[in-house]
Amino acid sequence: MSAAARTLRGQVAVAGIGETPYYKHGGSPDPEFKLVLKAILAACRDAGIDPRTVDGFASYSNDRSDPARLAAALGVRQLRSATMQWGGGGGGCCAAVANGAAAIHAGLADCVVVYRGLAQGQFGRFGQSGGEPTVSGDMAYQMPYGVLAPPQKFAMRVQRYLHEHGIERPALRAIAMASYHHAQANPRAVMHGRPLDEARYEAARWIVEPLRLFDCCMENDGAAAVLLVSAERARTLAPKPAYILGAATGAEYRAAASPHAAPRYASANYSGVAADLYRMADLGPQDVGVVQSYENFTGGVVMALAEHGFFAPEEANDFLRTENLLAPDGRLPLNTSGGNLAECYMHGFELVLEAVRQVRGTSTSQARRSDVALVIGGPMVSPASNLLLGSENTL
């Protein structure tokens, strides 16, 4: 089979999306497993598909909701595929969708649910250092020097990137402002009704330079799911399909070299992954109308957008202005549901659902150009992943 024939482009579609209410970390009234079941059932209702006909599951970031247990709870008649994206944390949110789509395209499953669930009151808070008796790997080079939490580790990469390319703080601020602006139109968003202005952003406490409070993602409880079927089947269902145009995952040369010794240290780790994505989709950045980019920290978004070709790093100060990032008519509407900063930090999976809404035309902050929607997973991790979704017009 030729390389051109080995593609997901136009072969699989998102037929349904579902989510629970989103809560502040520790605030869920339900256990994690129940949250995931609720999101899956909501995705099945959205697609008009009997949950008993689901035959595959896919997730990432070591999700604790076991596929076999989910299958039993849902009454699934036969479980045929179960995949977990290895490594990369939130960088795997798009790879999980690609893995589910690949199972369908290969004939290993017919109907795959991709999901992520979090109940931190039940299992403990993510991103908080515990009392580990020993450490190994990358953290062995960091914890002895007080680098305990993700903001500390990633701030060093961001600071280096800002310095190398002369990027100023207003570029970071614009990303936060856009996310909070869009959240005010989204009643699902945790920060709905809590707008952010420039004065409040600048007055917020430092977390670790160059990151202030509103440069950092929230921590939340909840669950989200998407339902994948073949493109042919999706056309027979009621919701407007969002077709997979491209998907990619991977890492640059020695991206995870320890300790903090990657050759391209100040990078989101997306240059090669972006090239693979555009090659599969036969598209370029000029074709993308709206972007959902994982904001663990605003600096990572700057890096990721540049590595996906929307601007050169030296152009970031001019491009990353709040008005350019707002729906409907900004140059590149960004994180139109509020993203990790202001809708919910479902380890980035809520971004996939919002990309589907954009393609369907049902977002609370609809972009004028939404036939091609890009999702960028967690930056500055290995492996990273991304996803392009499109309407029927793009096939």
Side-chain angles (χ1 to χ4, degrees), residues 161 270 274 277-278 283-293 301-320 324-325 330-334 369 372-376 386-388:
Y161 189 84
Y270 269 106
L277 177 76
Y278 290 139
L283 297 171
Q286 72 280 356
D287 300 303
V288 175
V290 60
V291 176
Q292 314 302 327
S293 184
V301 179
V302 180
M303 299 160 136
L305 293 176
E307 290 172 17
H308 279 81
F310 294 107
F311 50 83
E314 292 73 21
E315 299 169 338
N317 293 325
D318 290 329
F319 191 99
L320 293 174
N324 288 342
L325 306 180
R331 291 176 64 182
L332 189 69
L334 177 70
R369 294 175 58 219
V372 177
L374 170 65
V375 185
I376 304 174
N386 51 17
L387 181 69
L388 275 170

Side-chain angles (χ1 to χ4, degrees), residues 331-354:
R331 291 176 64 182
L332 189 69
L334 177 70
N335 295 347
T336 49
S337 65
N340 293 339
L341 295 183
E343 182 187 29
C344 172
Y345 183 45
M346 198 42 51
H347 287 181
F349 206 65
E350 82 289 349
L351 302 173
V352 179
L353 276 67
E354 176 62 11

Side-chain angles (χ1 to χ4, degrees), residues 176-250:
M177 294 289 291
S179 291
Y180 270 79
H181 174 87
H182 291 135
Q184 304 319 302
N186 176 11
R188 301 181 310 275
V190 173
M191 290 298 174
H192 179 70
R194 301 177 65 182
L196 178 66
D197 58 30
E198 292 186 1
R200 186 172 171 223
Y201 171 89
E202 295 294 349
R205 69 183 184 274
W206 288 108
I207 301 302
V208 53
E209 291 190 56
L211 306 173
R212 291 187 182 272
L213 176 65
F214 295 109
D215 292 303
C216 303
C217 67
M218 300 185 289
E219 292 185 29
N220 300 108
D221 291 356
V226 302
L227 192 70
L228 304 176
V229 297
S230 69
E232 181 181 12
R233 184 180 180 189
R235 294 185 183 99
T236 70
L237 302 174
K240 179 181 178 180
Y243 297 92
I244 293 177
L245 303 179
T249 185

Side-chain angles (χ1 to χ4, degrees), residues 28-38 65 118-119 122-123:
S28 171
D30 295 319
E32 194 168 273
F33 187 72
K34 186 175 181 179
L35 290 171
V36 172
L37 286 173
K38 284 184 171 182
S65 295
L118 287 167
Q122 181 181 7
F123 290 108

Side-chain angles (χ1 to χ4, degrees), residues 248 252 264 269-277 279 307:
E252 297 178 358
R264 290 194 64 215
N269 201 23
Y270 269 106
S271 59
V273 179
D276 286 346
L277 177 76
R279 188 179 304 111
E307 290 172 17

Side-chain angles (χ1 to χ4, degrees), residues 345-367:
Y345 183 45
M346 198 42 51
H347 287 181
F349 206 65
E350 82 289 349
L351 302 173
V352 179
L353 276 67
E354 176 62 11
V356 173
R357 292 189 185 97
Q358 284 289 341
V359 172
R360 288 180 172 182
T362 61
S363 172
T364 53
S365 293
Q366 189 65 39

